[in-house]
Amino acid sequence: MADKGEKPPKRPNKFRDMKRSQRNFSRQVSLETGFSVLNRESKAKDERRVLRRSGRSFGGFGATNRVGGDGRKGDFSIFMTKSALTKQNSSLPLRRESELDFQKNDGSGVDDSVPAGRYFAALRGPELDQVKESEDILLPKDEQWPFLLRFPIGCFGICLGLSSQAVLWRALATSPATKFLHVTPFINLALWFLALAVLLSVSFIYILKCVFYFEAVKREYFHPVRVNFFFAPWVVCMFLALSLPSILAPKTLHPAIWCIFMAPYFFLELKIYGQWLSGGKRRLCKVANPSSHLSVVGNFVGAILASKVGWQEAAKFLWAVGFAHYLVVFVTLYQRLPTSEALPKELHPVYSMFIAAPSAASIAWETIYGDFDGLSRTCYFIALFLYISLVVRINFFRGFRFSVAWWSYTFPMTTVSVATIKYAEQVPSVLSKGLAVFLSFMSSTMVSVLFVSTLLHAFVWHTLFPNDLAIAITKRKHGRDKKPFKKAYDIRRWTKQSPLSFVSAMTKINSADKGLDEQKEAEH
């Protein structure tokens, strides 16, 4: 063989044979053993993960026991105030390290602010209060949450509707344009006390929520829709000051009343308008929605109250600030910039918020300058046209479940009714007076229907405050692992390689294998 120049036969590679034998041995597993291994792996996965992708909920970070079936309730302490949570944890045994590691690695801590875009991605509906089916939440859906966690900031919309009705009936009782109706001032008195009682009750409950569940309040503050309702309590207080009955009201209001109610509103709008102006994740084109008008209307209501207390320059300042930002919000919502999130397809009375700011601006201008002149009428006609464009679309008010947030959509109808009364005073005619009476009747009817519905849902059906799922979304979406995508990308990149590079790579691999074999044979 050496004379013929033939190569000696290759000896078997012990290393490769050993590897193959181990691989064959690992495959020779009985069917019963294979099933037992699979069962152990599935149980281990169930212990590690908190929830299958069924969209139910995490049930709190301590909900790992829920998978085991012991029926333990969800952990609501993750939304409690830090001080209260510290006291609670001091009296309880320490959590297991696995739970703490899950909370750390999950990235969904309630202490961290949820990005504005996350709310649009995880929630749906005009108020962004419904969780999408593909999303999970931090609290269980299959049990009722504590009352304070179910009490939303939108409840101040009830106060907005009632206090604006007090303003309307005071105008109906005192305006010369509606003198022929002979409206008694006691209706204004009754509505004023009712609005005051509701405001005190809602404020007391929400203060308790701030004390015990401050983390949930923070979630509502970062919500792109509900943050606007933090302006509502101060607007309600200014409405109550403007609608104070003649029996209780002095001849002129003290300026301290305006300072007390307007100062918190002004500091809050500095924060919100600063976010709109400076850009970032909460710039106006990303978070604009019809409820954003709530942060603008208060400027006009504050201008009216400032004019009533005798501070004309402060009233003009607030009117200018409010009108400038109203134009920006109106154009943004009307145009819907490509970079912003699209409004939901569902139609809803939320669009009535468009008529609140121009009608309030019309009343404020008339109060400051004492004349329903050209600018005041321009704002009023804009509000009237938007009102008509909403009324003719009956489908805007169909097919939606009752919600507390509906109350905040009643005060724009009331505001345009008051503006129509002011217009009828300057332009007295049958048409203007009839329009004022008709719009006032529509507004009062809507408030009455909502008031009865609220009482039925609260005390008869007990469905007024369902679980507030919007505040319990996770900071990140819990999807599948991204490794399959990486593998697909690697395969796609590998297939895109040129044939020459592929052949050269294979040649290098074969030559390297031959070199290793020759080296091992030389050693033997």
Side-chain angles (χ1 to χ4, degrees), residues 408-443:
S408 60
Y409 314 137
T410 59
F411 91 94
M413 302 174 64
T414 306
T415 309
V416 75
S417 302
V418 176
T420 306
I421 295 174
K422 297 292 184 180
Y423 176 75
E425 292 178 0
Q426 296 293 325
V427 186
S429 64
V430 177
L431 181 60
S432 61
K433 293 181 180 180
L435 184 61
V437 174
F438 175 74
L439 295 180
S440 301
F441 173 76
M442 289 285 293
S443 175

Side-chain angles (χ1 to χ4, degrees), residues 63-74:
T64 50
N65 295 331
R66 291 175 62 88
V67 180
D70 60 353
R72 184 180 176 184
K73 293 185 178 180

Side-chain angles (χ1 to χ4, degrees), residues 69-82:
D70 60 353
R72 184 180 176 184
K73 293 185 178 180
D75 184 11
F76 300 101
S77 62
I78 59 176
F79 285 101
M80 293 184 67
T81 309
K82 292 182 179 179

Side-chain angles (χ1 to χ4, degrees), residues 205-281:
I205 296 174
Y206 203 78
I207 288 173
L208 291 180
K209 183 176 181 177
C210 294
V211 172
F212 294 104
Y213 293 99
F214 187 70
E215 300 300 329
V217 176
K218 287 170 59 178
R219 282 289 183 106
E220 288 192 299
Y221 176 76
F222 291 117
H223 194 282
V225 173
R226 297 191 184 184
V227 64
N228 300 294
F229 286 91
F230 283 88
F231 294 93
W234 315 111
V235 178
V236 172
C237 292
M238 289 187 282
F239 273 147
L240 291 177
L242 293 172
S243 63
L244 193 64
S246 304
I247 303 175
L248 305 176
K251 293 182 179 179
T252 57
L253 297 175
H254 198 276
I257 297 177
W258 178 83
C259 295
I260 293 173
F261 296 154
M262 194 62 205
Y265 186 97
F266 185 74
F267 287 117
L268 184 58
E269 75 176 355
L270 282 178
K271 175 67 174 178
I272 301 300
Y273 291 176
Q275 292 177 350
W276 293 356
L277 181 63
S278 60
K281 296 181 179 180

Side-chain angles (χ1 to χ4, degrees), residues 5-303:
E6 296 180 0
K7 295 182 180 180
K10 295 183 179 179
R11 298 180 181 179
N13 192 342
K14 294 182 180 180
F15 180 75
R16 189 178 299 173
D17 293 341
M18 188 183 303
K19 203 170 185 181
R20 288 177 181 175
S21 62
Q22 290 178 358
R23 190 180 303 169
N24 294 333
F25 179 76
S26 63
R27 290 178 182 176
Q28 295 174 359
V29 182
S30 64
L31 186 62
E32 181 181 0
T33 308
F35 277 114
S36 62
V37 171
L38 290 176
N39 290 333
R40 283 201 303 269
E41 291 180 355
S42 62
K43 288 181 181 180
K45 289 182 179 179
D46 289 339
E47 290 178 357
R48 286 196 302 268
R49 83 183 160 192
V50 179
L51 175 72
R52 298 181 179 91
R53 294 295 302 161
S54 60
R56 290 181 61 188
S57 68
F58 286 106
F61 294 120
T64 50
N65 295 331
R66 291 175 62 88
V67 180
D70 60 353
R72 184 180 176 184
K73 293 185 178 180
D75 184 11
F76 300 101
S77 62
I78 59 176
F79 285 101
M80 293 184 67
T81 309
K82 292 182 179 179
S83 59
L85 185 61
T86 303
K87 294 179 181 179
Q88 182 182 8
N89 290 338
S90 62
S91 59
L92 294 176
L94 295 177
R95 292 182 177 181
R96 292 178 299 178
E97 295 182 359
S98 59
E99 297 180 3
L100 295 177
D101 292 339
F102 173 78
Q103 182 176 356
K104 181 178 179 181
N105 298 328
D106 179 68
S108 303
V110 283
D111 294 339
D112 302 331
S113 61
V114 180
R118 179 69 183 129
Y119 287 99
F120 286 106
L123 303 174
R124 59 185 175 87
E127 295 96 6
L128 293 180
D129 59 345
Q130 304 171 28
V131 181
K132 294 180 180 179
E133 295 296 333
S134 59
E135 296 289 338
D136 288 320
I137 60 174
L138 298 173
L139 296 179
K141 290 183 180 180
D142 54 353
E143 62 179 280
Q144 193 177 45
W145 301 358
F147 173 72
L148 293 179
L149 272 181
R150 293 183 286 116
F151 192 82
I153 186 68
C155 290
F156 283 101
I158 303 175
C159 310
L160 277 174
L162 293 176
S163 59
S164 60
Q165 280 293 302
V167 175
L168 173 63
W169 283 93
R170 191 179 191 276
L172 289 173
T174 58
S175 176
T178 56
K179 190 176 181 180
F180 66 95
L181 295 176
H182 302 286
V183 177
T184 175
F186 290 102
I187 300 178
N188 165 243
L189 181 65
L191 286 172
W192 191 86
F193 277 111
L194 177 62
L196 180 63
V198 173
L199 175 63
L200 294 177
S201 302
V202 173
S203 301
F204 176 74
I205 296 174
Y206 203 78
I207 288 173
L208 291 180
K209 183 176 181 177
C210 294
V211 172
F212 294 104
Y213 293 99
F214 187 70
E215 300 300 329
V217 176
K218 287 170 59 178
R219 282 289 183 106
E220 288 192 299
Y221 176 76
F222 291 117
H223 194 282
V225 173
R226 297 191 184 184
V227 64
N228 300 294
F229 286 91
F230 283 88
F231 294 93
W234 315 111
V235 178
V236 172
C237 292
M238 289 187 282
F239 273 147
L240 291 177
L242 293 172
S243 63
L244 193 64
S246 304
I247 303 175
L248 305 176
K251 293 182 179 179
T252 57
L253 297 175
H254 198 276
I257 297 177
W258 178 83
C259 295
I260 293 173
F261 296 154
M262 194 62 205
Y265 186 97
F266 185 74
F267 287 117
L268 184 58
E269 75 176 355
L270 282 178
K271 175 67 174 178
I272 301 300
Y273 291 176
Q275 292 177 350
W276 293 356
L277 181 63
S278 60
K281 296 181 179 180
R282 299 185 184 273
R283 58 184 181 273
L284 184 60
C285 64
K286 288 187 67 70
V287 301
N289 58 84
S291 299
S292 300
H293 288 97
L294 270 174
S295 60
V296 178
V297 172
N299 292 288
F300 301 121
V301 180

